[in-house]
Amino acid sequence: SVDDIVYDKALGALWRSAPIWGLLMAHVGVFVIFRLVHPIILLLMGFVVAGTLVFTTGAGLLVSAYARRTAAAMATSFTLMLLVLGVPLVVGEMSGYKAGCITPASVEGWLHPVCQIYMVTQGAADMPGLPGPRRDSSAVPYAEGYFGGYPTPMGKEPLSFVWAYPAAERGWLATTALVGLTSAAWVLAGVGLGALAARRLRKGA
């Protein structure tokens, strides 16, 4: 059936890209093993990777359903990714921040996968020279049990992450919720694009 074809294509795309994402997670895992970053980065990075991967796969399926030639499909997929991921990044960086206001730069900093990777990385690692975060109720102390040997983010005791202005610093629970919900939205969008691809193939059959 058409659904089976789309499903098999999606699995094939995910399988072919698995070594790349696996290498990325293994790279991060090495830093965790040597206690250079906090283990929570694996969860947060996994959320970001999963959402981005499912969305790009769904977009590729939809493009391939309309563009039958490989060259046209690749060019269209690249353009689509540039529009969806590249343009918001550029617009956000150009808009800047305004005191007391939520701007495109703020939204980009909270929701864009590239910005989220930066946010979770600098929050889980020791990044000297950056301003220290506030203590907040959802912070995880580093001086307990197995986590006692991990570096303190930005010279402070709590596990805290710096969100884009005006949100300032937030703890690990709020950050996990933000990244998890954003990932779920990307996953749903990717599944929706895959469903549209199946619908297109049914009409063309």
Side-chain angles (χ1 to χ4, degrees):
S1 67
V2 171
D3 291 338
D4 291 334
I5 293 174
V6 173
Y7 181 74
D8 290 341
K9 282 186 175 183
L11 286 183
L14 293 173
W15 179 254
R16 285 192 296 271
S17 63
I20 299 175
W21 297 108
L23 183 62
L24 170 64
M25 298 305 293
H27 175 76
V28 175
V30 170
F31 284 86
V32 173
I33 292 173
F34 286 96
R35 296 177 178 267
L36 298 175
V37 296
H38 194 279
I40 198 172
I41 195 174
L42 294 173
L43 173 65
L44 298 177
M45 194 76 77
F47 278 148
V48 177
V49 168
T52 306
L53 185 56
V54 173
F55 176 79
T56 54
T57 300
L61 291 173
L62 182 61
V63 168
S64 66
Y66 281 89
R68 299 304 175 90
R69 293 184 179 181
T70 303
M74 291 181 62
T76 306
S77 296
F78 177 79
T79 303
L80 180 61
M81 290 301 102
L82 187 63
L83 291 173
V84 174
L85 297 177
V87 172
L89 191 63
V90 173
V91 171
E93 291 300 317
M94 292 178 64
S95 70
Y97 300 102
K98 295 180 180 179
C101 299
I102 296 177
T103 65
S106 303
V107 177
E108 171 224 355
W110 299 334
L111 305 180
H112 198 283
V114 174
C115 298
Q116 286 188 342
I117 287 177
Y118 172 76
M119 176 178 65
V120 303
T121 301
Q122 60 85 22
D126 186 11
M127 303 280 286
L130 294 177
R134 297 191 306 262
R135 293 179 176 273
D136 81 19
S137 58
S138 61
V140 176
Y142 271 66
E144 296 180 0
Y146 180 72
F147 299 124
Y150 284 94
T152 303
M154 298 177 291
K156 296 293 182 180
E157 182 181 352
L159 178 59
S160 186
F161 300 84
V162 179
W163 291 18
Y165 183 86
E169 297 85 12
R170 291 293 185 270
W172 72 276
L173 284 175
T175 302
T176 301
L178 172 70
V179 177
L181 290 173
T182 306
S183 175
W186 284 110
V187 168
L188 289 175
V191 172
L193 293 176
L196 290 176
R199 181 180 179 184
R200 167 65 180 177
L201 291 175
R202 288 192 200 97
K203 289 183 176 181

